[in-house]
Amino acid sequence: MGIVSELLLLPLAPVRGTVWVADRLLEEAERQMRDPRAVQARLAALNRALDDGAIDEETFEKEEERLLGLLGSPARPLGAPPAGHVPVAAGRARRAAGRAPGRHG
């Protein structure tokens, strides 16, 4: 990137920093959510709630299926974007592609 573009993008630095921090927080939350020990603890709590009558069988089955899905889903590598995540540069490229040759306006 040239110095001119860096200077033009300088006012966006706080936003880029905030997005970076938000991405790191999301990664950590997902890592903790998929931690097998945490999922097993939530499954145990779910079983206790069913035994105590705090939830019904249908709610139990839905939540159990969701939690078991977390155990079965592969963890994404550290630093890999979450599923469906579109990096800022890719978003710009997609918008630029919308202005392909032949399209005027």
Side-chain angles (χ1 to χ4, degrees), residues 1-2 25 50 95 103:
M1 234 186 243
L25 289 172
L50 179 65
R95 285 191 298 278
R103 290 186 73 183

Side-chain angles (χ1 to χ4, degrees), residues 43-95:
L43 280 168
L46 188 64
N47 279 310
R48 282 191 303 273
L50 179 65
D51 291 343
D52 295 343
I55 59 172
D56 62 357
E57 187 76 28
E58 183 180 341
T59 303
F60 172 82
E61 288 176 5
K62 285 180 185 177
E63 185 64 13
E64 181 185 42
E65 187 175 318
R66 187 185 71 79
L67 289 171
L68 291 174
L70 290 175
L71 283 177
S73 66
R76 56 184 177 92
L78 187 62
H85 176 74
V86 178
V88 174
R92 282 191 211 118
R94 287 183 185 168
R95 285 191 298 278

Side-chain angles (χ1 to χ4, degrees), residues 1-13 16:
M1 234 186 243
I3 192 161
V4 174
S5 58
E6 284 293 324
L7 288 173
L8 290 174
L9 293 175
L10 191 59
L12 296 176
R16 291 189 298 190

